[in-house]
Amino acid sequence: MLKKKKGKINEIVYNNTAYYNGKFRYYPTITGLNSILEEIINSNSTTNYIRITPFYINEQLNHQIEFEEYMFYIECRDWFDKEEQEKHISECINVPDIQRQLVDSAIAAILYPLCQKEDVNCYKNALKNYKEYLGELLLKMMEIAKSEMDLKEEDLPFGYFCFEIHSG
């Protein structure tokens, strides 16, 4: 059961991902994610963290693939420096699946940003950067899904991307 947490952004996430008083979770598609991100950006708030994990579902094959290496994770801290930020990014991209590890530090900086608490502009910019990067990211994930799930042309209309969103 999902619990409603205090704070504007936590309420936005809860209101867009939970139903039946938190008994069930809703995983938005790209359209829903874009709306949620816009609502968060317009809230002029920050929260401790937001984690967005993409996954692809194909109903015809009854198969799902998660993309944890392309998870977006923004964290607000009291203080950090460039060295701390680089350490944070390297910890986030060190995933066990070598084939799908991120090697591009610019992409990693988009997916795993740090912000100072209450720095609304930094927070909004990080969310905007992620939102802009999603088009490119979806293409990469689709290529991985095609390969790993051995998708055929006739399977494609039965698949879609969803996003699991957590905040705190």
Side-chain angles (χ1 to χ4, degrees):
M1 183 160 168
L2 295 173
K3 294 189 179 184
K4 194 171 191 175
K5 300 171 189 169
K6 292 183 180 182
K8 283 184 187 179
I9 293 174
N10 292 330
E11 288 180 15
I12 291 168
V13 170
Y14 181 87
N15 291 338
N16 285 283
T17 62
Y19 60 101
Y20 283 110
N21 295 320
K23 290 181 183 175
F24 299 101
R25 178 174 282 257
Y26 171 72
Y27 302 103
T29 62
I30 186 65
T31 306
L33 177 63
N34 280 327
S35 296
I36 293 167
L37 290 174
E38 259 324 294
E39 196 173 342
I40 291 171
I41 289 167
N42 292 331
S43 74
N44 290 315
S45 297
T46 65
T47 191
N48 291 334
Y49 76 90
I50 294 178
R51 184 178 65 236
I52 302 172
T53 308
F55 59 97
Y56 175 80
I57 298 174
N58 190 286
E59 297 292 341
Q60 180 154 310
L61 301 177
N62 195 23
H63 196 310
Q64 167 178 320
I65 183 171
E66 288 189 24
F67 293 96
E68 289 184 12
E69 70 280 8
Y70 293 119
M71 169 181 60
F72 174 75
Y73 181 76
I74 184 171
E75 183 180 331
C76 286
R77 295 186 178 178
D78 290 327
W79 179 89
F80 65 92
D81 60 13
K82 188 172 178 89
E83 185 179 305
E84 186 71 24
Q85 187 167 21
E86 288 171 3
K87 181 182 173 194
H88 168 74
I89 289 171
S90 72
E91 288 172 354
C92 289
I93 64 175
N94 188 15
V95 295
D97 187 348
I98 304 253
Q99 285 182 290
R100 288 168 53 179
Q101 271 187 347
L102 284 175
V103 291
D104 188 336
S105 60
I107 294 171
I110 292 171
L111 294 177
Y112 305 106
L114 290 178
C115 292
Q116 296 217 185
K117 288 189 176 177
E118 308 304 322
D119 187 345
V120 173
N121 288 329
C122 176
Y123 202 80
K124 288 167 69 169
N125 287 334
L127 291 170
K128 287 176 185 177
N129 289 339
Y130 174 65
K131 192 174 173 192
E132 288 174 16
Y133 179 64
L134 274 173
E136 187 178 326
L137 182 61
L138 286 170
L139 295 173
K140 285 181 183 185
M141 292 188 303
M142 189 71 235
E143 289 304 313
I144 293 169
K146 283 180 182 178
S147 173
E148 290 188 12
M149 295 173 78
D150 194 28
L151 294 174
K152 310 270 185 283
E153 186 75 24
E154 59 270 11
D155 298 327
L156 296 179
F158 299 96
Y160 50 94
F161 284 96
C162 291
F163 300 85
E164 181 178 13
I165 307 171
H166 293 273
S167 68

